[in-house]
Amino acid sequence: MSVTVRPATDADVPVLAELMSGAIPRHPVTPQRWAHEVGELRGHPLGLHVAQWLAEEGGVALGVALALQLPGIYHPDRYWAEVLVPPQHGRRGVGGALAGVLEGHLRGRGARELLSGAYEDQPWAVAFLTRRGFSGALRSFDNVLQLTDFDASAWAEEARLPDGLRAVSLAELAVEVGMDAAIAAFHAAFAEVREDVPRSSPPTPHSLESFRDHLLNAPHFFPEGILLAVTDAGEVVALSELERKGTDPARLDTGLMGTRRAWRRRGLALALKLGTLRLAQSMGVREVWTGNADTNLPMLALNERLGYRPRPAYLEMRWGGV
C-alpha cells in the first residue's frame, strides 16, 4: 500500500492538530487553536495564502504539509513551508511525498523565499531541509522554568516598579477604561516593542483593528496574564504576556515581553515578568516556557538567573530570499 497526499479540509482539523502535536510535542496544539489560527490567516486583510495537505496510507493519517503566509513577516513572495511527520510514521517516504506536493505548489505560486525549521536534536529533520537547499537563518531556545524551584521572595526588590508607574493586568485596565481603550494602550506599546525582537525577516506592522480582533477572538485569550506598566497619564510603557497555548493546564507560555525605547534600562520588563511568575504560581502552574534567540544574550542571561533552563535549540531555516 502506498502513501497518498490530498488537500486537507476543515473536517481534518482534529487530525491535523494531533499530527502536528505528535511531530512537535514541545509545542502541542489543540484543534480549537489551530482552527482559529487558520481562520485568522484566511480572513486577514492582506489576503494571505493558506494550504494544507494530509499524507495517508490505507486511510490512516501519517503526516502534514503546510504552506502559509504569515502576517507578522509578510511579503507576497515569502511563505512558511513545513512538513510534519510524527516519529512513529517516519522512514516510510511520508516526508518526501508531502515535500514533493508542497514544492510543486509553491513553484506554481512563484515563491521566492521559504522559511521552515527544525530542532537540533532532530538531525534528520535538519538534514531534510538542508538537502532541499535551506540554510540557517535564526537559532533560538525554549527556556523552561520549574515554578516549584522558583523563590519569588528572592526577587522582591526587582519586582518593584519605579515611582509614577503601576502594574495592572489588561483585564484590570479594561475595568478602569473599557476593553477597547485598554487594548489601544496595549497595542501602542506592543507595536513598538515587537520591532526590536530578533527575527529572521522584517516585522510587518499590526493594525489596531487586526490586533484587537486577534486578542478578543483567540480561544486562549488570557487578559489576566497580560501585565502592563502604566503611567499616571495612562500610557503603557512595558508589558509581559502569559499565554495559554497548549494542552497542559499546568503549563503557561510567555508571549512578548519588553519595554518601550524611552523607558528602557529601568528594570520595568523584569518587574512585570516577576509579576507574571507570581501569578502563575498562584494558579498552581508547574512550568513556564519562553523562547529567545541565541543573539539575545541579555535575556538569556536573565532567564538563567531566574532559573530557566534551555531545551534543545530550534533552527529556523531559509530557502531563497526577497
Side-chain angles (χ1 to χ4, degrees):
M1 197 172 295
S2 61
V3 174
T4 61
V5 178
R6 66 169 176 85
T9 69
D10 290 344
D12 296 313
V13 164
V15 176
L16 293 169
E18 181 180 359
L19 289 169
M20 288 188 285
S21 298
I24 311 179
R26 298 169 176 91
H27 294 283
V29 59
T30 65
Q32 295 80 6
R33 179 181 156 210
W34 187 243
H36 168 74
E37 291 190 7
V38 169
E40 274 203 325
L41 294 176
R42 289 172 176 164
H44 197 279
L46 286 172
L48 304 174
H49 180 70
V50 181
Q52 306 175 92
W53 296 268
L54 271 176
E56 297 174 323
E57 185 178 44
V60 177
L62 306 175
V64 180
L66 309 170
L68 314 170
Q69 288 178 316
L70 302 178
I73 51 170
Y74 176 73
H75 185 284
D77 296 327
R78 176 186 294 130
Y79 295 80
W80 183 269
E82 197 156 23
V83 171
L84 297 169
V85 180
Q88 67 269 27
H89 301 315
R91 301 185 181 278
R92 298 164 62 178
V94 178
L98 286 164
V101 172
L102 180 58
E103 290 164 357
H105 177 81
L106 291 168
R107 278 197 303 270
R109 292 190 61 83
R112 292 194 292 134
E113 180 177 318
L114 305 180
L115 296 171
S116 192
Y119 281 91
E120 289 186 339
D121 64 344
Q122 298 176 330
W124 61 89
V126 177
F128 182 88
L129 292 169
T130 302
R131 289 196 300 271
R132 286 162 173 79
F134 286 77
S135 59
L138 182 71
R139 189 167 175 264
S140 59
F141 291 96
D142 286 326
N143 283 281
V144 182
L145 176 63
Q146 301 293 333
L147 284 175
T148 53
D149 301 329
F150 178 68
D151 181 9
S153 65
W155 295 84
E157 186 62 32
E158 291 87 347
R160 296 190 183 97
L161 287 172
D163 292 343
L165 295 174
R166 62 195 179 99
V168 295
S169 69
L170 180 64
E172 291 168 331
L173 189 60
V175 171
E176 296 176 11
V177 301
M179 183 59 82
D180 283 348
I183 288 177
F186 176 31
H187 172 261
F190 186 98
E192 182 177 318
V193 168
R194 71 181 288 268
E195 290 179 355
D196 297 330
V197 174
R199 65 184 74 234
S200 60
S201 304
T204 306
H206 285 310
S207 70
L208 173 57
E209 181 181 6
S210 64
F211 181 78
R212 182 176 57 245
D213 291 345
H214 170 76
L215 279 179
L216 296 179
N217 296 325
H220 54 273
F221 182 42
F222 182 30
E224 295 81 7
I226 300 171
L227 202 59
L228 311 171
V230 183
T231 68
D232 293 337
E235 180 188 10
V236 174
V237 296
L239 58 102
S240 184
E241 297 180 298
L242 278 181
E243 300 177 335
R244 291 169 167 157
K245 281 189 170 181
T247 57
D248 183 356
R251 165 182 167 176
L252 289 174
D253 289 74
T254 302
L256 185 64
M257 187 192 84
T259 304
R260 301 187 78 162
R261 298 182 189 104
W263 291 82
R264 289 175 184 168
R265 304 289 184 262
R266 305 186 200 185
L268 307 188
L270 173 57
L272 294 181
K273 182 165 188 169
L274 292 167
T276 62
L277 295 178
R278 290 196 304 274
L279 171 64
Q281 280 187 320
S282 72
M283 296 169 58
V285 170
R286 182 182 66 251
E287 294 179 340
V288 175
W289 288 54
T290 188
N292 303 109
D294 67 356
T295 56
N296 194 349
L297 297 181
M299 184 56 66
L300 289 170
L302 172 60
N303 284 334
E304 184 176 2
R305 284 179 58 210
L306 286 167
Y308 285 82
R309 294 296 176 258
R311 301 294 173 92
Y314 183 78
L315 184 62
E316 186 171 319
M317 303 179 73
R318 177 189 289 117
W319 173 92
V322 295

